[in-house]
Amino acid sequence: MLRITLFFLLISSTLFSQTNIDLSYYLPQDVSYNSNIPTPKSSIGHEVGEWHITHDKLVQYMRELAEASDRVNIEDRGKTFEGRPLILLTITSPTNHTNLETIKAQHIEATETNDANLGNRPIVVYQGFSIHGNEPSGSNAALALAYYLTAAEGSEIENLLDNTIILFDPSLNPDGLQRFAYWANTNRGMNLNADPNDREFSEVWPGGRTNHYWFDMNRDWLPVQLPESRARIKTFHDWLPNILTDHHEMGTNSSFFFQPGIPSRTHPLTPKMNQELTKSIAKYHAKALDKIGSLYYSEESFDDFYYGKGSTFPDINGGIGILFEQASSRGHVQESDNGLLTFPFTIKNQFTAGLSTLEAAYEMRKELLEYQHNFYKNARKEASSEGNKAIIFGDEKDAAKTYHLAEILKRHNIKFHHLKSDVSLDGKTYKKDYSYVVPKNQKNTRLINAMFEKRTTFQDSLFYDISAWTFPLAFNLDYTETSMEKASNVVTELTHQQGGVTSKSDYAYLFPWNEYYAPKLLHTILKKGIRASVSLKNFKANGKSYDYGTIMIPVQNQDMETSELYSFLNTIAKESHITIDAVSTGLNEGIDLGSRNFRALELPKIALLVGDGVTSYDAGEIWHLLDTRYDIVVTKLDTKNFSRADLSRYNTIIMVNSNSALDNGNTKKLKQWLQDGGSLIAYKNTLRWLNSSELMKINFKKKGSLKAKNISFEDRSNFRGAQVIGGAIFETELDRSHPISFGYKNDKLAIFRNSTLFINPNKNSYDNPIQYSKKPLLSGYISEENLDSLKQTIPFKSSRIGRGKIMAFTDNTNFRAFWYGTNKLLMNAIFFRNEM
């Protein structure tokens, strides 16, 4: 048994003196420590908890441990957006290190065969810290825990390391951790101040919680859109850990939480045994925290529903995910309902939970190895019962979007095949090289179900996160069940379609707007000063049909010679994976190329409102989309600088979710800019502000007052919470002739929503280009009252103000970077704003 003997912390009524803290405050004291192993202080220059660890110093110490100890290997798995290393320590016995690849192979083999040796294999534990950068006690505890695992001596630690492979991720969010450490340290005085009003506890926007592009990375385990996520997901699938821990923080007045969460909020695809084992592991946490006198709770909060969180993702992959939530000091010491909460105390609790996890893993090793073995054994039985069944998905006019969903499958080790030949199923056409076939009879069949299922019935009506994430709906891809008879070879190397220009023209070039990267291509063309126009109607040229939104580039009267234009277009078409067609005549079936129904386009000059009052998540998603996918430079215009900014530099301003980002004076300034011809794109609660500021008249649908009948005082919060749309997917109907709908091939579009903003449709049907259907729920939870309110309302509204335009969306079209299917709505508002 791994004994955990930690000193009880007595919180003083006076300010805590962190200068007296040393490493012994955290460590078990009945253990000897190898003097050849550097302590954190000897490396970083201060004791653990005296200052907030910066990521550079954290990496420095971990590298020194790897250099000093034969228990540790370190690897650099990539870089963050800001260039920080994504390191991973593998901590185990020296003997295991010499045989690590064999151990890994045997561990994976046990998930792929019906017979496996469970008795002599080490258990695999992934310990991850501070995926939210301003929840720093985890990464700071990683200093002490790494030291303990490296320096502790004796039979107990040797037995632990002989039987455990520890995948140690000291910072799941390096950029956020660095940003927060800078804030906390620069606002720390020599005399610590626990007053909650002190600046130390009030980060400037956007705070250190998120990564460089302001993403909450604890929602990206399933979509895998960010470099930090891609590194850890590769490690996860390479090893398939039996336990994965995710160390977080919560409100200052809380205590300590460990899973399991609320039982009724566990995803139905998670085996019941998973929760039973989580309960068994929880006893180890309780025992360890009891020893040091720390308060805690379990099964009263949080959930295990959305598989995109670190604590839930393992549950659909044969492991046990465990969430830890520590009350946060948010700085170095802060007053709380439980007395003075010190930073070292928060670190000590995280350290204690880290050790109790390893104790549980060691003592429950055979049980946990057997559970994982049986998870995949049962999954294979389920998969086998699917026989020859498969899922086909794709978009006959958008290869790139199809590619990116396939890319996610590949990152999750899900096997898929090329389509043998073009096929029509359920009224949809699936084109070879634009579609893929996913066999249901494969190892990760449960993960496939989790990604592709549509679910509309639930045991509980409250969700800590979203209730639906059906991936083909998120990508706006056609999909249906089929058989493997439609499949060709397994996809081993995923590649984009090869773009280019079909031939040189002396007249004009055309390309459709359907492809995902068409906005990138158009922006590059306009930025070069090349004239381009958009088609407002359908037509045929050279026998080929062209849809609404087709882009036309005339050859004559450009600032490039004919050959230079051809060469330039050919290069950028390849970069955007799009085929540009050369045409030799303007005479078409339908509108001709000189028609007034081709409208000249203007280069977007975009400002994105950021700063106080603006939701950083939503702003970051748009910044990331424009910057990393479309190569479009966007000015991040801070609300505090709005009054002195020269708005004439921009023809487009984007305002994401905000209640009152601009005061009266700045509202007048924005209104004048609009009247002079500017275009505003607004999202979510900004619509309420537009209406109250009389910039845009919006007819919000009034909801009837909800009366609580037979609801007890105890259940009042659950009653209210059930009226929240935490995140679900709904069907809309499109008017494809409207510019906001250009590039969509179907007349229906799945839209994500997590708001209760309902707008009545306009009197003129042509002013309702997107409208919720009569039966809109596709996947996820919504109360009956809200569903009734949502039917046939509109999620998009546009209106003119002077020479300008306002385009308003009730919900986020760029949710968490994986909602590829509605990204085009924003791009249409940007590029075709003058045609709305």
Side-chain angles (χ1 to χ4, degrees):
M1 173 181 174
L2 179 67
R3 290 176 297 166
I4 304 172
T5 310
L6 298 172
F7 287 149
F8 179 83
L9 174 68
L10 293 175
I11 299 178
S12 171
S13 60
T14 60
L15 288 185
F16 190 86
S17 174
Q18 289 178 315
T19 57
N20 296 327
I21 279 289
D22 62 28
L23 203 53
S24 64
Y25 173 72
Y26 307 102
L27 300 177
Q29 293 304 292
D30 58 348
V31 176
S32 61
Y33 294 92
N34 185 344
S35 60
N36 294 320
I37 301 300
T39 64
K41 184 176 182 178
S42 70
S43 173
I44 63 177
H46 62 81
E47 286 291 358
V48 175
E50 184 180 358
W51 294 88
H52 281 254
I53 189 67
T54 57
H55 186 260
D56 54 334
K57 288 186 175 182
L58 181 65
V59 171
Q60 172 187 309
Y61 181 59
M62 297 301 159
R63 293 197 190 283
E64 289 185 21
L65 287 182
E67 184 70 26
S69 174
D70 56 3
R71 295 178 181 178
V72 182
N73 281 345
I74 192 168
E75 60 180 300
D76 189 339
R77 301 173 294 170
K79 304 291 183 186
T80 68
F81 283 116
E82 295 178 12
R84 293 188 174 85
L86 296 163
I87 63 168
L88 180 79
L89 280 66
T90 302
I91 305 175
T92 188
S93 68
T95 301
N96 285 342
H97 270 301
T98 63
N99 199 32
L100 202 60
E101 288 305 313
T102 300
I103 292 173
K104 183 195 294 185
Q106 290 173 345
H107 186 78
I108 297 300
E109 183 183 10
T111 67
E112 296 173 345
T113 59
N114 287 340
D115 298 312
N117 179 6
L118 304 177
N120 298 321
R121 285 192 296 108
I123 191 170
V124 181
V125 180
Y126 191 121
Q127 294 188 294
F129 302 91
S130 299
I131 199 165
H132 296 141
N134 63 356
E135 299 176 3
S137 57
S139 284
N140 283 268
L143 290 166
L145 187 55
Y147 172 78
Y148 171 82
L149 293 172
T150 309
E153 296 179 320
S155 59
E156 291 179 7
I157 187 68
E158 289 173 2
N159 288 337
L160 171 71
L161 296 178
D162 278 339
N163 289 279
T164 313
I165 307 295
I166 303 167
L167 306 174
F168 197 86
D169 196 334
S171 175
L172 291 164
N173 180 4
D175 294 347
L177 182 72
Q178 188 79 9
R179 190 160 65 245
F180 180 73
Y182 168 80
W183 176 262
N185 290 337
T186 54
N187 285 284
R188 176 196 188 275
M190 292 299 102
N191 296 294
L192 303 185
N193 189 348
D195 183 351
N197 294 318
D198 190 78
R199 187 170 188 259
E200 182 177 355
F201 311 115
S202 181
E203 292 176 83
V204 293
W205 193 97
R209 177 181 177 87
T210 53
N211 77 339
H212 175 77
Y213 283 103
W214 310 329
F215 278 87
D216 181 343
M217 292 190 306
N218 195 39
R219 303 300 186 268
D220 195 42
W221 290 77
L222 201 56
V224 207
Q225 295 300 303
L226 306 167
E228 301 91 339
S229 310
R230 291 172 179 179
R232 67 176 181 262
I233 288 300
K234 185 179 186 309
T235 299
F236 184 96
H237 286 301
D238 282 350
W239 272 103
L240 291 180
N242 301 95
I243 298 176
L244 184 145
T245 58
D246 194 13
H247 292 254
H248 288 253
E249 290 183 2
M250 54 184 168
T252 302
N253 293 320
S254 300
S255 57
F256 191 88
F257 171 85
F258 49 81
Q259 283 180 314
I262 296 175
S264 62
R265 299 178 196 169
T266 300
H267 198 288
L269 292 178
T270 299
K272 289 184 179 179
M273 179 57 72
N274 174 286
Q275 292 294 290
E276 292 176 15
L277 289 170
T278 304
K279 269 190 176 184
S280 297
I281 294 171
K283 294 176 182 178
Y284 289 83
H285 308 319
K287 180 182 67 174
L289 292 167
D290 285 342
K291 285 184 178 180
I292 63 170
S294 289
L295 298 174
Y296 56 84
Y297 65 100
S298 182
E299 294 191 280
E300 297 176 44
S301 185
F302 303 100
D303 65 26
D304 272 323
F305 194 84
Y306 173 47
Y307 286 123
K309 296 184 300 180
S311 59
T312 313
F313 179 75
D315 298 344
I316 197 64
N317 287 283
I320 308 294
I322 300 176
L323 170 69
F324 295 121
E325 293 275 357
Q326 164 62 46
S328 179
S329 65
R330 282 290 181 260
H332 292 84
V333 58
Q334 188 177 170
E335 297 168 7
S336 80
D337 289 349
N338 296 311
L340 289 179
L341 181 62
T342 70
F343 187 38
F345 179 67
T346 69
I347 295 170
K348 187 169 187 173
N349 281 342
Q350 298 278 26
F351 174 87
T352 300
L355 279 188
S356 62
T357 298
L358 295 175
E359 181 181 8
Y362 174 73
E363 296 199 349
M364 295 175 62
R365 180 176 62 86
K366 291 183 180 179
E367 194 175 356
L368 290 165
L369 289 172
E370 184 178 10
Y371 167 74
Q372 185 182 63
H373 174 72
N374 288 334
F375 177 95
Y376 283 103
K377 186 176 181 179
N378 293 331
R380 282 193 298 277
K381 289 179 182 177
E382 294 168 13
S384 179
S385 69
E386 297 286 356
N388 206 30
K389 292 180 182 177
I391 299 171
I392 185 172
F393 70 89
D395 186 327
E396 61 181 306
K397 294 185 178 181
D398 191 347
K401 203 171 52 178
T402 307
Y403 167 94
H404 284 299
L405 177 52
E407 185 181 41
I408 295 173
L409 299 182
K410 193 170 182 63
R411 291 189 188 282
H412 286 303
N413 289 356
I414 292 173
K415 182 173 63 175
F416 53 95
H417 294 244
H418 292 288
L419 182 62
K420 189 182 298 181
S421 59
D422 296 357
V423 63
S424 292
L425 295 168
D426 295 341
K428 304 293 183 184
T429 298
Y430 296 92
K431 189 176 176 182
K432 185 181 178 183
D433 299 328
Y434 286 71
S435 306
Y436 294 105
V437 181
V438 185
K440 299 193 77 174
N441 187 1
Q442 60 173 297
K443 178 178 179 177
N444 284 326
T445 187
R446 288 178 170 177
L447 184 57
I448 293 169
N449 289 338
M451 294 176 73
F452 281 82
E453 74 162 8
K454 290 194 290 187
R455 184 178 296 274
T456 56
T457 57
F458 302 89
Q459 183 180 355
D460 204 316
S461 58
L462 273 73
F463 300 87
Y464 183 69
D465 201 81
I466 59 177
S467 62
W469 53 87
T470 312
F471 275 78
L473 295 180
F475 278 73
N476 185 36
L477 294 171
D478 298 328
Y479 77 113
T480 189
E481 281 210 0
T482 185
S483 70
M484 286 302 294
E485 294 171 358
K486 308 291 190 300
S488 179
N489 299 330
V490 173
V491 177
T492 55
E493 202 168 319
L494 190 61
T495 57
H496 274 291
Q497 289 290 308
Q498 186 174 1
V501 180
T502 54
S503 63
K504 180 175 173 293
S505 173
D506 293 323
Y507 192 81
Y509 297 97
L510 300 170
F511 68 88
W513 192 246
N514 303 88
E515 279 285 353
Y516 185 78
Y517 288 106
K520 177 182 178 181
L521 178 58
L522 176 58
H523 181 264
T524 307
I525 289 168
L526 296 175
K527 188 178 179 182
K528 193 70 173 178
I530 298 170
R531 293 185 297 107
S533 301
V534 61
S535 168
L536 302 186
K537 290 191 175 183
N538 298 334
F539 63 97
K540 277 189 177 182
N542 291 341
K544 180 177 179 179
S545 295
Y546 291 90
D547 208 346
Y548 304 105
T550 296
I551 305 300
M552 186 265 290
I553 305 109
V555 173
Q556 302 305 315
N557 296 324
Q558 300 282 12
D559 290 335
M560 283 186 178
E561 295 294 331
T562 305
S563 296
E564 185 185 2
L565 179 62
Y566 164 72
S567 178
F568 175 73
L569 292 178
N570 194 44
T571 298
I572 63 174
K574 288 179 180 178
E575 293 172 353
S576 299
H577 322 295
I578 291 174
T579 298
I580 298 179
D581 296 325
V583 291
S584 58
T585 176
L587 189 63
N588 297 322
E589 293 182 43
I591 61 170
D592 298 323
L593 297 191
S595 168
R596 291 181 181 179
N597 284 295
F598 275 96
R599 299 290 178 85
L601 295 171
E602 180 186 12
L603 176 68
K605 297 175 184 177
I606 307 169
L608 172 66
L609 202 66
V610 301
D612 291 341
V614 175
T615 302
S616 60
Y617 288 3
D618 294 12
E621 287 157 2
I622 290 178
W623 178 27
H624 174 268
L625 176 73
L626 297 177
D627 193 34
T628 70
R629 293 187 186 160
Y630 294 133
D631 288 340
I632 297 175
V633 174
V634 55
T635 295
K636 299 183 295 299
L637 181 57
D638 201 295
T639 54
K640 67 184 180 183
N641 298 325
F642 193 88
S643 62
R644 59 179 179 268
D646 177 9
L647 299 188
S648 67
R649 297 172 63 95
Y650 318 108
N651 53 34
T652 305
I653 294 177
I654 303 174
M655 292 181 65
V656 298
N657 188 40
S658 172
N659 287 313
S660 56
L662 300 179
D663 59 22
N664 290 336
N666 284 328
T667 300
K668 291 178 181 178
K669 181 175 181 177
L670 178 66
K671 183 175 182 179
Q672 185 60 58
W673 174 81
L674 283 164
Q675 290 173 333
D676 292 341
S679 295
L680 177 67
I681 302 171
Y683 283 94
K684 298 184 73 172
N685 283 322
T686 303
L687 276 64
R688 295 195 188 279
W689 172 80
L690 287 173
N691 190 50
S692 63
S693 301
E694 299 183 350
L695 292 176
M696 185 184 204
K697 186 177 180 180
I698 302 175
N699 182 12
F700 291 108
K701 188 171 185 177
K702 294 180 181 179
K703 295 188 296 180
S705 59
L706 193 64
K707 295 181 179 179
K709 296 181 179 180
N710 301 317
I711 303 297
S712 68
F713 181 81
E714 179 184 3
D715 292 334
R716 69 195 185 284
S717 61
N718 290 345
F719 169 75
R720 295 168 186 158
Q723 299 307 311
V724 172
I725 304 176
I729 308 171
F730 301 92
E731 179 186 73
T732 62
E733 296 169 342
L734 298 181
D735 173 0
R736 292 180 54 249
S737 71
H738 193 285
I740 199 66
S741 304
F742 283 0
Y744 288 102
K745 71 180 185 69
N746 297 328
D747 59 5
K748 288 183 171 57
L749 175 66
I751 285 184
F752 174 87
R753 88 158 17 227
N754 59 356
S755 79
T756 53
L757 285 173
F758 306 127
I759 300 178
N760 285 311
N762 297 293
K763 293 179 180 179
N764 298 317
S765 62
Y766 53 75
D767 287 328
N768 303 316
I770 313 173
Q771 187 168 12
Y772 288 105
S773 63
K774 292 180 180 178
K775 295 181 178 180
L777 181 60
L778 293 174
S779 187
Y781 171 80
I782 184 173
S783 69
E784 291 183 8
E785 295 85 357
N786 280 331
L787 183 60
D788 186 61
S789 296
L790 179 67
K791 295 173 184 177
Q792 295 196 288
T793 59
I794 57 174
F796 170 78
K797 179 180 176 61
S798 65
S799 68
R800 292 195 176 276
I801 175 170
R803 293 190 294 113
K805 172 72 70 173
I806 298 177
M807 293 156 284
F809 295 95
T810 59
D811 283 272
N812 184 355
T813 59
N814 315 287
F815 185 66
R816 292 182 182 170
F818 81 98
W819 214 267
Y820 280 73
T822 49
N823 288 158
K824 192 167 262 112
L825 295 177
L826 171 61
M827 304 318 294
N828 289 348
I830 289 173
F831 283 100
F832 309 138
R833 58 193 181 278
N834 293 326
E835 316 311 324
M836 297 289 180

